[in-house]
Each structure stands twice: as C-alpha cells, then as structure tokens.
Amino acid sequence: MENSIVKNSGRTITGLIFVVIAALVATLLVSPADAAPSKGKPDKGTSVAPVVVGHRGASGYRPEHTLASYELAAKLGADFIEPDLVSTKDGVLVARHENEIGGTTDVADHPEFADRKTTKVIDGKEITGWFTEDFTLAELKTLRAKERLPKERQQNTIYDGQFEVPTFDEVLELREQLSKELGRKIGVYPETKHPTYFQSIGLSLEPGVVAALKDHQLNKAKAPVIVQSFELTNLQQLRTELGLKTPSAFLTSASGAPYDLESTGDERTYADLVSPEGLAEISEFVTGIGPVKDQVIPREADGALGEPTSLVADAHEAGLVVHPYTFRAENTFLPVDYRNGSNPADYGKILEEMKAYLETGIDGLFTDNPDIGVLAVEQYMASK
Ligand code: G3P
Ligand code: CA
C-alpha cells in the first residue's frame, strides 16, 4: 500500500510536471502574436482561446485612453490594448476616441484655450467643442484626462486631472515595456478615427500609423497588432499603398454606412458589407471584422438578448475573424435580462453575457472590463 502510494505520488508529480509544461506551451501558443489573425487564415474559435481587447484600456476602471488605463488593462490580463487615434495640429497621433476633447479632458477649465471652442461638421454631424487638430502636441500636453461617464463610473472620477493625453508613440513604448514586465506579448489594436475628415484637412492619420509601427518594429504580418477602422478606403490604402503588413479589421455598425462611402456616393451600407458577398469582398484586404455586438446577437423588442445571427459563421466562411464590441459591466449597457436590479450604474450579469457571445464562436471581444473578459474566456474554454 505504502509502495503503491509512493509510486502513485511519483506518477502524480510526473503528471503535474507534464501538465505545467503543457500549460506553458499552450500559453505560448495563444500569445497575442499568434492569436492575431493572419490574412486568409482565421482562427475559427475552436482551438485557440478568444482574445480579450482592453477597450480604450481598462476604461471601466480608469479614464479612457490614458497610459494608466492601458497599463491596468494589460495587468488585468488583456491580450490587446486599444488606442483610438486622432491628430494634433502639428500632425502627431494621439489617443482619443474623437477629435472633440471637451468630454474627456479638462480643456474647458483652461481660459487660455477658451477661444478655441468652435463648431465643426465632422462626418456630416455638427459638433461644438475643442478639437485636437486645433492644438499642438505641446498644448494638448497641458491638459489632463477626465472620466467620460461620471454618472455610471463615479469611482473613476477620483483620477480626473491625473493623466495626460498620450501619443501613439507613448502607447507603443508602454506596450513594449509591459510586454517585458509581464513576460508576454501585449498586443495593440489601434483605430483610425474619422480618417476621411483628417485627410480632408491635410492631417492624414494613416502614414503616421505605419511609421510608428515601423519605428517600433511592429509592421510585420505576425506582429501582435490589428489596425481597425469604421471606414473602408483607408484600410484599403493602408494595405495597398502604405505598406501595412499587420492584420487589420473593419468595424461595423448595426445601421448606417461608412462615411468614406457615403461621402463619395457609394451606396453600400454596413448591412451590405456584412452580407456573405460583402464579407467576401472586404476579405481581400482585411483579416477580421469588429461588429457591434448586436450584429452577433441582436436584442428582442423588449431589450432582452435574442438569438445569434449567422454573422460569425458567414465571416469565418470568408476567412475573417470576429471581434465584437463593446462589453461593459454596468446595467445600463446590458440586455434587460442580464441586469441586476434597476440602478443603471450597478454591475449586471456581464460574465454571463460574455459567455453567451463566446458560445457563438467569436474570436475575441472588446471590453471595458478586461479582468471579467479574461474570466469569461477561461470559463468558456474550460467548458468546451
Ligand atoms: O474599435 C472597437 C470599438 O472601440 C468601436 O467603437 O466607438 O468605442 O471606438 P468605439
Ligand atoms: Ca475603438
């Protein structure tokens, strides 16, 4: 009996060593470098863990698009950090969700910039505020970020006034530093914001994106990078004219049309472009799609989560990976049957919502709460 225990213990220890080595190998195999889709070779979501994209960093916990938000996202386990990119007056790419910065910085509290407040038409919509393209980088650096959603995320307001607006270059430096510190490749998922508009004012975003990736040795097919946009033309130009070698993704909305198409009389809508024919067409120059999550599982008329569409299967058929956006923990962002109580700011059943989406075969997800995304992926993978 004793011998048997010793023998079995030996087997157990050998087994444990094997399991640990296998787990390490598996971790390396699903690192973002490999998880990033290769053109024409999609991850169909069957053997590789779906990736977690820290949407605007860990914006559920820190003011969005700050180095603190990106750093926390990586430390909470995100595979990718996600900077949205706009341009300054002097042509520097900075991380903001839109070029109007009144909602996410303290610019309104700077009397020296009061005369910069203006009204512009961006992508056909009239917007009043302060715009990045009217500030040099040095001027923007005097501003500080603030929480976009103070009602839903009051706890994040303690960081108001703490963090600068980062440049894309600073985000890529942070990515490199965090990859070394955490011992895994942190991916970056940059989005060109309002590309047609920035081209129209002589501040095209795309050359700077490629140049920055090159500066950081990231313009490679296997780099842990996915460049994304809600417009098609710039994604085509990046691939065919500007020498982008990384994977890329086309973002889609449940309604409307890409502004580059709309503004040139091309009648194709987002709905057309996520049809099987549309997906086959865009698969010529992108490696994935980033649909709004309602295009993967729409809500019923009463706001409850409905049944999955064929989008994931259609995209996989076209050789495209699918990374829907945006998963957020607060009730106000969740389907009514995934809420806890009636306070819009309280957390609902986000873990269950994410797992319902993972069951559709998606290859990753954008979330403001990367720690919960990691947990959902772990539980989903363990259930298979
Ligand atoms: O890029 C994916 C998702 O971030 C798109 O939505 O508006 O948050 O940039 P938005
Ligand atoms: Ca984005």
Side-chain angles (χ1 to χ4, degrees), residues 55 82 84 191 193 228:
H55 182 246
E82 194 239 355
D84 294 325
E191 180 185 347
K193 282 292 184 191
Q228 47 165 344

Side-chain angles (χ1 to χ4, degrees), residues 126-337:
E126 200 169 89
I127 296 172
T128 298
W130 293 262
F131 296 83
T132 56
E133 65 270 24
D134 296 331
F135 291 77
T136 63
L137 179 64
E139 288 172 334
L140 265 189
K141 282 290 187 183
T142 67
L143 307 181
R144 292 294 177 269
K146 69 174 189 182
E147 173 55 43
R148 175 193 292 276
L149 303 168
K151 284 190 189 140
E152 291 84 0
R153 294 175 175 167
Q154 189 277 336
Q155 70 278 12
N156 291 0
T157 63
I158 65 171
Y159 304 105
D160 285 359
Q162 297 285 315
F163 310 121
E164 293 180 5
V165 173
T167 64
F168 185 36
D169 190 57
E170 288 167 343
V171 177
L172 294 178
E173 274 174 24
L174 176 71
R175 186 213 74 84
E176 199 173 327
Q177 178 195 318
L178 287 168
S179 298
K180 285 181 190 149
E181 185 183 328
L182 301 175
R184 63 189 176 89
K185 287 181 185 171
I186 305 299
V188 64
Y189 212 131
E191 180 185 347
T192 53
K193 282 292 184 191
H194 310 297
T196 293
Y197 170 74
F198 276 106
Q199 283 173 19
S200 76
I201 59 170
L203 290 169
S204 297
L205 307 171
E206 297 76 17
V209 171
V210 178
L213 292 175
K214 281 182 181 168
D215 285 350
H216 290 265
Q217 291 77 52
L218 288 171
N219 190 32
K220 300 170 185 168
K222 288 278 182 183
V225 176
I226 305 175
V227 177
Q228 47 165 344
S229 180
F230 277 103
E231 294 189 12
L232 269 180
T233 311
N234 79 125
L235 288 172
Q236 273 172 313
Q237 288 170 340
L238 278 161
R239 180 79 58 211
T240 58
E241 296 167 28
L242 297 171
L244 181 75
K245 294 190 170 67
T246 74
S248 57
F250 177 53
L251 300 168
T252 62
S253 296
S255 61
Y259 187 68
D260 56 318
L261 302 190
E262 195 180 309
S263 62
T264 53
D266 185 324
E267 292 184 351
R268 285 175 296 169
T269 62
Y270 286 116
D272 296 329
L273 292 161
V274 295
S275 68
E277 300 73 30
L279 293 166
E281 198 180 324
I282 65 173
S283 71
E284 295 298 316
F285 56 90
V286 297
T287 43
I289 56 169
V292 64
K293 62 186 185 179
D294 291 358
Q295 290 179 303
V296 174
I297 310 181
R299 295 187 192 186
E300 304 287 2
D302 64 358
L305 198 62
E307 293 299 319
T309 66
S310 63
L311 179 59
V312 175
D314 294 344
H316 286 172
E317 185 62 32
L320 297 165
V321 294
V322 183
H323 296 162
Y325 66 90
T326 301
F327 292 84
R328 295 172 160 134
E330 294 87 358
N331 277 331
T332 191
F333 301 114
L334 287 162
V336 292
D337 48 341

